[in-house]
Amino acid sequence: MKCCLVRKVPFRLPRTNRLVWALILAEREGLSLLFVRKPDDDYSHSIVIATENVAERIFEISNASVFLFETRDMIEIGSIFESLGHGLEKSEFTKLFEDECEGFGVP
């Protein structure tokens, strides 16, 4: 199974200026549900609710506490996670997050 991703976007880690890659799992009403791969041993993988900072062209953590989604959204999110978990070798997964976005300063 090949990985089917909605979009890979730069995400600013909370309380830092550090940018990392994140995968959009779902979007609804200006909010995005992101999967953020752990950038190093000081962090864990995470799923965050974020909004796009259009001026800086990055995504940032949102103060929203709820992300509404429907059954078809859960099916799509499940497909994305299944693809990430079963369809990619570690080296392929790492390649998804390599420095393709030099303009954003993403490591």
Side-chain angles (χ1 to χ4, degrees), residues 7 9 11 23-35 47-52 59-62 64 67:
R7 201 162 39 132
V9 296
F11 172 73
L23 302 176
I24 295 180
L25 301 175
E27 294 180 283
R28 180 83 72 235
E29 299 175 10
L31 296 175
S32 298
L33 188 64
L34 303 180
F35 168 71
I47 295 176
V48 300
I49 299 172
T51 55
E52 186 172 11
F59 282 73
E60 298 174 312
I61 198 133
S62 169
F67 185 93

Side-chain angles (χ1 to χ4, degrees), residues 38-85:
K38 75 183 221 170
D40 55 43
D41 291 336
D42 295 332
Y43 292 89
S44 297
H45 299 301
S46 59
I47 295 176
V48 300
I49 299 172
T51 55
E52 186 172 11
N53 178 333
V54 178
E56 295 186 43
R57 297 176 35 201
I58 61 171
F59 282 73
E60 298 174 312
I61 198 133
S62 169
N63 60 2
S65 59
V66 176
F67 185 93
L68 302 174
F69 48 88
E70 299 174 12
T71 302
R72 69 183 183 330
D73 297 316
M74 284 298 294
I75 292 168
E76 185 175 333
I77 291 167
S79 293
I80 291 170
F81 276 132
E82 185 175 17
S83 293
L84 287 171

